[in-house]
Amino acid sequence: MFPIRDSQPSYSKPVVTVFLIVINILIFLFEFSLDPYSQNAFIATYGLVPDHFHFVNVLTSMFLHGGWMHVLGNMWFLWIFGDNIEDILGHGKYLAFYLLCGIAAGMTQTLFSPGSRVPMVGASGAIAGVMGAYLIKFPRSQIRTLLILIFF
């Protein structure tokens, strides 16, 4: 299922949500513009590699993505659910919440596979936190979805 829109109105402009989407897209476009060797080096440097842990990479990895579908999917979910959470938390608290969710996701992944040499990238952990907050704050909200059936 793919969310198309929700029934929960927001009463303020989602400035931080739009900012996060723009930053993620711009960084992905830069990443995509690199040649394959430079792209791998960029991801190895700024992605979160548990075996070579650096705390700053917990933050930088949240703004890298593994491909077009990864970045577009993450940003779409952020657009659908982020505006309402930003609306109730306010801009500053929402940004802090988003970053803390991403940090918690990265630290949890590092805790469970500390010897991994595979770079972790993406905003999925932060967005999962936003979606969890949405579920808690708006349990009766209707979410219009697109259901794609694939037959084998």
Side-chain angles (χ1 to χ4, degrees):
M1 286 194 285
F2 193 78
I4 298 172
R5 62 185 166 89
D6 65 335
S7 63
Q8 186 63 39
S10 47
Y11 301 100
S12 63
K13 292 188 189 291
V15 196
V16 175
T17 299
V18 170
F19 173 75
L20 289 169
I21 291 170
V22 168
I23 291 296
N24 274 282
I25 296 291
L26 288 175
I27 291 172
F28 178 74
L29 290 173
F30 172 76
E31 182 185 334
F32 187 73
S33 74
L34 298 172
D35 64 86
Y37 179 80
S38 299
Q39 192 176 46
N40 286 339
F42 184 74
I43 290 171
T45 302
Y46 296 105
L48 177 57
V49 182
D51 193 47
H52 308 292
F53 182 82
H54 297 286
F55 184 76
V56 71
N57 291 56
V58 175
L59 291 172
T60 58
S61 67
M62 284 191 275
F63 297 94
L64 304 178
H65 288 83
W68 283 104
M69 291 304 290
H70 189 204
V71 71
L72 292 176
N74 273 348
M75 296 307 102
W76 183 254
F77 275 71
L78 184 58
W79 177 251
I80 296 291
F81 301 107
D83 63 329
N84 299 111
I85 300 305
E86 183 176 356
D87 196 33
I88 61 170
L89 289 180
H91 307 302
K93 287 180 186 175
Y94 171 69
L95 179 60
F97 177 74
Y98 178 88
L99 293 173
L100 285 173
C101 287
I103 290 168
M107 297 302 290
T108 301
Q109 183 66 30
T110 300
L111 179 70
F112 280 97
S113 44
S116 176
R117 294 181 182 175
V118 178
M120 292 184 280
V121 296
S124 301
I127 294 167
V130 170
M131 290 172 61
Y134 185 94
L135 179 65
I136 289 169
K137 294 306 262 181
F138 309 108
R140 302 211 190 294
S141 179
Q142 293 181 1
I143 300 166
R144 304 279 183 225
T145 59
L146 174 64
L147 179 62
I148 301 170
L149 298 175
I150 300 173
F151 295 99
F152 292 98

